[in-house]
Amino acid sequence: NGPVSRHDPRLLIRERQEAIHRIHAAADPRSRRVVERGIAQLGLRRFRDEHSREHFDLPRAPLPGGDAPTPVRLLPRFDNLVLSHDDRRRVLADEHRTVVIQGGEVRATILVDGFVAGLWSVEDGRVRVAPFAPLPRTALRDVEDEARRLEAFLRAAGKAP
């Protein structure tokens, strides 16, 4: 595998996970002061979103510009992105919520520009995509490319004919 660059995404992810684990290990859930101290000790950067919610990141983690394109993704069932938000409207429009989350089941979703834009499934070894609405040509092409990559992965893993 060779040496890992300090800009390698795997290293940044591992550092973020370790930082979160250190905060959780040190924090008394009844004391915001303890969490604040942990954040300060780790040197995390602080950010506020458009709703004044506070977010944190590692000091060396690269930050994309606001106009950076968000890649299309096929998210699996019960993906953390859909489940973890206290306000799911950040990624899932209210009109699609009951289609995506049904009786405790969270379906596999298509993410376009950071928002759930449809569903996907595997049928007879093929990835089938079902956007909620017509997608722009470039987004549709990206979704289809992602579906082909997933099909190739499933074939290689012996999960598809």
Side-chain angles (χ1 to χ4, degrees):
N1 275 339
V4 177
S5 162
R6 72 181 201 108
H7 297 291
D8 186 305
R10 293 171 297 179
L11 178 62
L12 294 172
I13 289 169
R14 188 168 48 243
E15 286 178 352
R16 282 186 178 118
Q17 290 170 336
E18 289 170 0
I20 290 167
H21 288 296
R22 285 194 301 269
I23 288 171
H24 284 284
D28 174 345
R30 295 165 289 167
S31 172
R32 181 165 174 83
R33 217 178 17 196
V34 172
V35 174
E36 289 287 338
R37 196 171 334 134
I39 289 167
Q41 288 173 349
L42 293 169
L44 298 179
R45 291 187 290 187
R46 295 172 177 254
F47 301 93
R48 292 217 175 262
D49 66 14
E50 65 276 6
H51 302 291
S52 297
R53 290 178 295 214
E54 192 168 29
H55 301 275
F56 306 95
D57 206 347
L58 293 175
R60 292 190 342 237
L63 292 175
D67 59 346
T70 305
V72 163
R73 292 291 181 247
L74 300 182
L75 301 179
R77 294 176 56 219
F78 296 101
D79 189 79
N80 189 45
L81 180 72
V82 177
L83 290 173
S84 66
H85 288 288
D86 62 344
D87 181 3
R88 288 189 180 103
R89 291 175 295 177
R90 293 177 61 195
V91 295
L92 177 62
D94 284 337
E95 63 264 25
H96 304 308
R97 185 179 182 142
T98 58
V99 176
V100 173
I101 304 170
Q102 297 179 336
E105 290 287 319
V106 179
R107 299 176 69 189
T109 57
I110 302 166
L111 204 63
V112 176
D113 289 331
F115 292 93
V116 174
L119 303 173
W120 68 271
S121 60
V122 177
E123 299 170 14
D124 300 321
R126 301 292 315 263
V127 175
R128 307 279 184 220
V129 297
F132 295 138
L135 296 173
R137 193 174 323 176
T138 56
L140 182 58
R141 185 181 63 237
D142 291 346
V143 168
E144 290 169 343
D145 289 346
E146 188 77 356
R148 280 192 287 280
R149 285 190 291 275
L150 180 55
E151 286 174 1
F153 173 80
L154 293 172
R155 277 192 303 279
K159 303 288 184 189

